[in-house]
Amino acid sequence: MTAAPVFLNALGMVCALGQGQQAVADALFASDAPRGVMQTDAFTPGRVLMLGAVPGALAELQDLPMPLRSRNNALLRMAYAQIRTPCAAAIACFGAQRVAVIVGTSTSGIGEAEQALPQHLHSGAWPPQFHYAQQEIGAPSRFLAAESGAGGPAWTLSTACSSSAKALVSAARLLRAGIVDAVIAGGADSLCAFTNNGFSALESVAGTRCNPFSRNRCGITIGEGAALFLMTREPGPVRLAGWGESADAHHMSAPDPQAHGAIAAITQAISRAGITPADIGYVNLHGTATPLNDAMESHAVMATLGGGVPVSSTKPMTGHALGAAGAIEAGLCWLTLARNPQQRLPPHWWDGEADPALPALAFIDPGQSANQPLRYALSQSFAFGGSNAALVLGAG
């Protein structure tokens, strides 16, 4: 029996490119200059970095109990507000118990803890605006279940940079198994000193906008944001046509240089979608701009898809949103397939100096459009510890 198709019916997102589909699409496809990331020391006082910070004020959370107040959940509230109507309709149609919530994150509310810690160290008391439960990994899914009224299964995944890609895969499995009829799925991560300092300790943070796949690449630009999908078996504008997952466990932070796990995830995703590599019209690369990740990924793409498929890393615009990256980049693929009558492709912003040690890929120039109708896009996420995920999105 053929498995029921799974659709990404609605998308809400907020990231460094803006809030909402139109704002994000306009910035994503702009061809005059890269949008998104900015110079700021807001999260690293005294040290200016290029960061993918969400512009403007975030959603207010004063109506929530203290354990659910966090920058992460403010981002989730902003993304959910954009799909509130279709989600409410799904709950009304299927019943609250038949609607699940699955969220990917890596930071959760750790930013609130780091803001509270100095007072605790000084006085021995925690400030009143801090609650230990803010930083629990389960907090984002608890918040979203409360915000939406969904009463089905609710959980949070935290597998570093593959977290929210895996949240979409988990949602698809629930739907195909018939356990639920709708899932609110995606991810959120927020900027804080903890992640910036951690990646700085690994000597992995670039001082300027990240430069993926360049011979001059020198590290990541960290970002934040949230992306949420309403996923059902009902026809919609985009399908989650296929997915692949693997765990190569090569090293705690470095990818397998032979790309065995990445190749396996990509191959599984294409096979599960029932298509061939030639059907992929666009690849959103993980593209962190670290020397080892870009080297591994370029080999994986060449081995599975060849060098002719249009590819780009969108992290020079959004920053690397860590646990939210998979959902945000799936959202960018969703916009490319569903809100893109000109068939524009997300550009690859870099200095244009290819690394001669890497296989030559077809990086997308600003303003470039697909030369044939876009039917399938591939989004890749490769995380610490060798946790790999690949998603094939298909036009509905």
Side-chain angles (χ1 to χ4, degrees):
M1 183 175 67
T2 302
V6 173
F7 292 89
L8 302 166
N9 301 86
L11 165 66
M13 66 186 306
V14 56
C15 63
L17 290 174
Q19 179 180 350
Q21 293 181 21
Q22 190 63 58
V24 173
D26 288 346
L28 173 66
F29 296 119
S31 59
D32 57 336
R35 305 296 201 268
V37 302
M38 67 181 81
Q39 286 191 320
T40 178
D41 68 349
F43 302 93
T44 53
R47 181 188 180 203
V48 176
L49 291 174
M50 291 289 285
L51 296 176
V54 168
L58 302 191
E60 292 288 340
L61 300 177
Q62 298 306 309
D63 58 307
L64 298 176
M66 192 60 69
L68 295 182
R69 297 184 196 176
S70 67
R71 187 175 181 89
N72 243 33
N73 288 347
L75 295 169
L76 279 172
R77 174 167 272 187
M78 294 166 75
Y80 179 71
Q82 300 165 35
I83 60 171
R84 182 182 300 275
T85 297
C87 290
I91 291 172
C93 176
F94 302 121
Q97 300 304 312
R98 299 289 296 176
V99 180
V101 170
I102 308 178
V103 181
T105 192
S106 62
T107 60
S108 193
I110 196 68
E112 282 62 42
E114 72 184 23
Q115 292 171 26
L117 186 58
Q119 179 171 326
H120 185 270
L121 293 174
H122 176 72
S123 67
W126 294 104
Q129 68 271 22
F130 175 71
H131 190 287
Y132 179 85
Q134 287 169 311
Q135 63 188 330
E136 291 180 352
I137 286 296
S141 52
R142 286 200 302 272
F143 161 74
L144 196 53
E147 182 82 350
S148 64
W155 69 81
T156 307
L157 288 169
S158 188
T159 55
C161 309
S162 62
S163 300
S164 53
K166 286 178 169 287
L168 302 185
V169 174
S170 293
R173 291 196 176 105
L174 279 184
L175 290 165
R176 285 194 168 183
I179 295 172
V180 296
D181 296 307
V183 186
I184 304 168
D189 251 344
S190 47
L191 284 166
C192 59
F194 179 81
T195 49
N196 281 290
N197 291 339
F199 279 97
S200 294
L202 294 173
E203 300 182 346
S204 295
V205 174
T208 57
R209 188 186 300 268
C210 67
N211 195 11
F213 297 91
S214 167
R215 68 192 303 168
N216 302 312
R217 67 191 185 277
C218 59
I220 70 175
T221 297
I222 299 178
E224 67 178 353
L228 292 173
F229 297 89
L230 174 63
M231 298 177 61
T232 75
R233 294 182 295 271
E234 306 297 317
V238 175
R239 288 179 294 120
L240 181 54
W243 60 85
E245 298 174 281
S246 66
D248 53 49
H250 169 77
H251 185 272
M252 184 175 288
S253 61
D256 172 11
Q258 302 303 313
H260 295 306
I263 289 170
I266 295 168
T267 301
Q268 289 172 29
I270 293 171
S271 175
R272 184 172 272 114
I275 61 175
T276 68
D279 293 315
I280 300 294
Y282 166 63
V283 179
N284 186 286
L285 301 165
H286 191 57
T288 61
T290 57
L292 296 181
N293 178 85
D294 287 7
M296 177 281 292
E297 188 171 19
S298 63
H299 288 292
V301 171
M302 184 62 71
T304 53
L305 301 169
V309 58
V311 302
S312 70
S313 169
T314 48
K315 288 181 172 67
M317 294 182 279
T318 64
H320 189 352
L322 307 180
I328 289 173
E329 290 163 20
L332 301 181
C333 290
W334 192 99
L335 294 172
T336 301
L337 292 167
R339 285 186 59 100
N340 188 18
Q342 293 85 22
Q343 298 285 283
R344 296 168 295 180
L345 295 171
H348 184 82
W349 291 102
W350 64 325
D351 62 7
E353 296 191 28
D355 187 338
L358 305 185
L361 302 181
F363 296 112
I364 296 164
D365 293 324
Q368 182 177 333
S369 296
N371 55 18
Q372 58 186 0
L374 278 170
R375 296 172 53 224
Y376 294 98
L378 173 68
S379 183
Q380 302 177 168
S381 299
F382 306 125
F384 278 4
S387 176
N388 307 303
L391 308 175
V392 173
L393 281 69

